[in-house]
Amino acid sequence: AVMTLSEGTAGNVALAEWVLAGDGTTIDQGQDSRVSADDSVLAGRAVFGRVASVGRFTSRVQHVSDPAFRAHARLVRR
């Protein structure tokens, strides 16, 4: 399914900003929401993935099941 953002030339969106990669998940948060590349994406207390790339209004998320996914972790024991 293709979704269209409710922004256009009136919102200063350039034509090239409408091109999204077909891989990964796209979320409706971007630079304007202070999202940065490599930010963790959480679903409650579980890690969903990481922000792979950030645009002005949207970001692409790389899921943990992606074979190329890499992240740092710290193991803590009680």
Side-chain angles (χ1 to χ4, degrees):
V2 175
M3 298 174 61
T4 303
L5 301 173
S6 61
E7 294 289 336
T9 54
N12 295 321
V13 178
L15 180 61
E17 290 180 296
W18 286 95
V19 179
L20 301 174
D23 54 343
T25 300
T26 302
I27 59 172
D28 64 348
Q29 301 294 314
Q31 293 169 343
D32 288 356
S33 299
R34 297 183 182 174
V35 174
S36 299
D38 292 326
D39 282 352
S40 297
V41 178
L42 306 175
R45 292 174 43 177
V47 176
F48 180 83
R50 72 175 188 86
V51 176
S53 60
V54 180
R56 182 172 175 194
F57 299 111
T58 62
S59 298
R60 190 179 68 76
V61 175
Q62 181 184 32
H63 191 263
V64 294
S65 65
D66 185 321
F69 180 85
R70 299 289 182 270
H72 296 280
R74 180 181 299 173
L75 301 178
V76 179
R77 296 183 186 188
R78 286 187 165 176

